[in-house]
Amino acid sequence: MEKLPKVGALALFIIVILLILLFKSVVTIDSGHAGVLYQLGGGVDPKSEPLGEGINFVAPWNSVIEYEVRQQEIPEKMSVLSSNGLDIKLDASVLYQPEYENLPRLHKEKGKDYLRRVLQPAIRSAARSVVGRYTPEQLYSTKRDAIQQEIFEETKKIVEDQYIQLNNILIRDVTLPPTIKEAIERKLKQEQESLEYEFRLVTAQKEAEKQRIEAQGKADANRILSASLTDKILQDKGIEATIKLSESPNSKVIVIGSGDSGMPIILGNQ
């Protein structure tokens, strides 16, 4: 009878140990995440497959390092120099994610702090290289899209072998020294006013040319018409008009043969 409590205590102890081991063997990984298996005897195998989201069973003496594998964004503010040595501040957003299939290699070689160790230095290096090719005026106005694309391409070259997938780099703002910004805005305003003046001048010239052509066309038409109207034609037209008037029901007095050309003169029309 004394052995039964001891057996029961031992069984309870074993059950508790088994529950603890089972609990430690079950690893749940959230959606959009993946796990890297760390084995107590050998660390991380860079050739192993990442653990997917959901429930995973591992040996209780091993552990799992979890990574977010969805697209992520980090804001990046940089101070770089333009081609003429002026300090330019860039405000950018970097869209990235770790390469899922290479997650064990990323952890083995870079660790969880791969942003600080790899991605951010790459972005800053590319930004210094690209911005250094342009003047402040180009950065402020015409070349912003081109600069954004060049920074993205150069950064991508740096990190493409570092197990990081770079999706995009977006330049949100370019900040110039106040005096340079004001000078550029004045210049752009003057250029715009000059373009507007040239447009009005060209429009006025085209309108004047149009009016000249129309006037010339009317003059040519009148000259041709005058050349075609002979005395005989005018007399025939006058006869036709007189006949039509004589047929009109309105009262009138017609003097026959009293005109300079022998045409009737209409004295009244009531």
Side-chain angles (χ1 to χ4, degrees), residues 102-122:
N102 289 317
L103 205 55
R105 289 185 174 87
L106 177 65
H107 184 78
K108 182 81 172 180
E109 299 180 19
K110 315 301 177 185
K112 292 211 71 172
D113 199 18
Y114 65 93
L115 290 180
R116 183 182 61 84
R117 294 180 177 179
V118 179
L119 188 55
Q120 289 177 322

Side-chain angles (χ1 to χ4, degrees), residues 227-246:
S228 64
L229 291 177
T230 63
D231 292 341
K232 179 61 176 173
I233 292 175
L234 292 173
Q235 188 174 13
D236 290 341
K237 293 293 183 181
I239 293 171
E240 291 177 3
T242 302
I243 293 172
K244 290 181 180 180
L245 286 173
S246 66

